[in-house]
Each structure stands twice: as structure tokens, then as C-alpha cells.
Amino acid sequence: MSNKVAAIDSVTAKELFDTSEQALGKGIEIEQELFRIVGVFPGEEQDNLFSLSNINIEIPKATYHYYFKSEKDTSSLTLTLEEGVEPDKVTSKVINQLKEKGSLKHLGEYEVLDTAMLTKGIGQILSTITYFITAVAGISLFIAGVGVMNMMYISVSERTKEIGIRRALGATRKSIMLQFLLEGLILTLSGGLIGYLLGMALAYSVGSLIKVNVSLDLFTILLAVGVSSVIGLVFSVMPASEAAKKDLIDILR
């Protein structure tokens, strides 16, 4: 019977036994078989999206054939594609050729592991989350717009005398309407800038805690300013129009 011994990489040794020295002579289970660790070789730490733990174990070839070698063993084929090539088409052609001419075609089925499918699935999840956040943001903006409109209506009703005095001094309906539109624009624009600054301050604070770099994006700044301006203009039209329609005689009466 072949010796049940194994060698593991230094990273795995540190994770399981704290140090490489303490790993020597200890046991490690491989597919329900217990092996004694007799060596430790250098390993590299890997931490990425698809492999959170990369464990490297080496055992003698004779031991592998004795305990694990069977007709159900699988083989893998790694393909390196040129830039611009569509992976789906290439893998389909490779699978068809392997099914026809592959040396292991009688031992099982050929399968494809495409990491692009994983990233595509993650992208779909992120897109769904983005749509949900967008919907929530849209509802929030609508509520904020209604709040701005109510504030402008209150401002118009409280400043009726001011509107009458301006009209008596020669102000036109257009100038009255423009005045309240600008007030609504300034209100929402300043609110948007303050909100963006608070958001960036919070992002920098969280980024410093979790060690993530945060950078300013001109597009997001313009988007925040643009959306705030549009909200201010759209929801100030009706109050401004109401202010412009006030009759001078009714105001002075």
C-alpha cells in the first residue's frame, strides 16, 4: 500500500496550523482519506472574486493512483482567446470537436466553465439593484418636488402684497413668473449641492474605514446639479404661474 503522505503550500499551512513548522506531522483529510503532512512548499496568497481560498496539496503519484485514480476522473482544457473573439462561439466549436474526436469522449461528458457567465450573472444582479435604487430615488425626487411646489405655493400666498406692489410699479406677468421660477431653481440647486457634499463626506468617511479609495466624478456632479435644477423648474411652474395670474385690482382690494 502506498504511503499516505502529502505536502501543502505555506499559505494553507498558516491558515490551518498557524505556522509551517506546526503543520509538519499533522494530518489533513483529502476526500475522506487522512494524509500525514511531511512537507511544506512556498505558496502565494490569492483573493479574488472567484477564488477566496487557493489550497495547493501535493501527494505522490503512486498514492494518487492507488486512492483516487478511477475511470470517472476528469480532465480539463484551458483555452486562451485573442482579443475580440466571442467566447461562446469558440467554446461551442471546441465542445463539438471534443465530442467527435476527444480521447475521453467515451468516459463521460465535456463541460465548459466560463467565468464570463459568472460575471454576467453578477452584472445582472447589480443591474437589478441599480434599477431598484433608481426607482426609490425617482419616488424620493417626486416627493421632494411636491414639497418644493407646496413651499412655493405658500411663498406666493404670503407675498401677495409684494406681488401687487411690483405689479403697480410696472412689473409684467412674465417677470413675476420668472422671479418665482428662479427662486425654486435656487432652492433645489442649493439643496442638491449640499446633499452631494454631504454624500461625498459620508463616502470619504466610510472609505477611510474600509480602506477603499473614493474619487470625484464630474458626470455625477453634473447629474446631481442637473436633476436638482430640473426638479426646481418643473415643480415651480404652477406656483409661478399662479403668482403671475394674480389680478392687481384684487390684490390691492
Side-chain angles (χ1 to χ4, degrees):
M1 182 180 295
S2 301
N3 293 329
K4 299 175 70 175
V5 294
I8 63 176
D9 65 284
S10 57
V11 176
T12 304
K14 292 179 181 179
E15 290 180 354
L16 299 178
F17 308 102
D18 295 334
T19 62
S20 300
E21 292 75 11
Q22 294 181 6
L24 296 175
K26 300 294 178 61
I28 185 170
E29 185 177 346
I30 306 175
E31 296 186 6
Q32 300 180 349
E33 296 287 345
L34 187 63
F35 288 77
R36 183 167 61 89
I37 300 174
V38 296
V40 177
F41 56 89
E44 296 182 359
E45 294 186 1
Q46 294 186 3
D47 188 5
N48 54 53
L49 185 61
F50 307 108
S51 178
L52 298 179
S53 179
N54 187 28
I55 300 176
N56 294 318
I57 302 176
E58 295 183 359
I59 60 176
K61 185 176 181 180
T63 303
Y64 169 75
H65 282 280
Y66 185 86
Y67 289 101
F68 305 112
K69 189 67 174 177
S70 67
E71 293 184 354
K72 295 182 179 180
D73 285 341
T74 59
S75 299
S76 62
L77 177 64
T78 302
L79 299 178
T80 303
L81 306 181
E82 296 181 354
E83 185 177 357
V85 176
E86 297 182 7
D88 295 340
K89 294 182 178 180
V90 174
T91 51
S92 298
K93 292 181 180 179
V94 172
I95 290 296
N96 292 333
Q97 290 186 5
L98 289 175
K99 288 180 179 179
E100 295 177 0
K101 304 177 182 179
S103 59
L104 302 177
K105 61 181 180 180
H106 300 296
L107 300 179
E109 296 181 355
Y110 290 100
E111 296 180 353
V112 178
L113 177 60
D114 188 2
T115 55
M117 296 178 63
L118 298 178
T119 56
K120 184 178 180 180
I122 295 175
Q124 291 177 349
I125 295 174
L126 294 177
S127 297
T128 303
I129 296 174
T130 301
Y131 292 144
F132 174 75
I133 295 175
T134 302
V136 173
I139 296 173
S140 302
L141 289 174
F142 178 77
I143 295 174
V146 172
V148 170
M149 185 169 61
N150 291 333
M151 291 178 60
M152 295 303 298
Y153 269 121
I154 295 173
S155 177
V156 170
S157 62
E158 290 180 348
R159 297 163 62 184
T160 301
K161 291 183 179 180
E162 175 189 336
I163 296 172
I165 294 173
R166 290 198 61 197
R167 289 294 307 279
L169 295 176
T172 62
R173 294 180 183 271
K174 184 177 180 181
S175 62
I176 297 295
M177 185 174 182
L178 182 61
Q179 174 188 349
F180 284 95
L181 284 177
L182 291 176
E183 288 182 3
L185 176 62
I186 294 173
L187 177 65
T188 55
L189 183 58
S190 59
L193 291 175
I194 293 173
Y196 189 85
L197 293 176
L198 291 176
M200 287 303 302
L202 179 61
Y204 276 111
S205 301
V206 175
S208 62
L209 292 176
I210 62 176
K211 308 299 181 183
V212 175
N213 294 327
V214 179
S215 59
L216 291 174
D217 185 12
L218 180 61
F219 175 75
T220 58
I221 297 176
L222 295 177
L223 181 63
V225 173
V227 171
S228 300
S229 302
V230 171
I231 293 295
L233 288 174
V234 171
F235 287 90
S236 297
V237 170
M238 293 180 65
S241 178
E242 185 70 20
K245 290 180 181 179
K246 286 185 177 293
D247 188 77
L248 177 60
I249 298 176
D250 293 337
I251 296 174
L252 297 179
R253 187 181 301 171

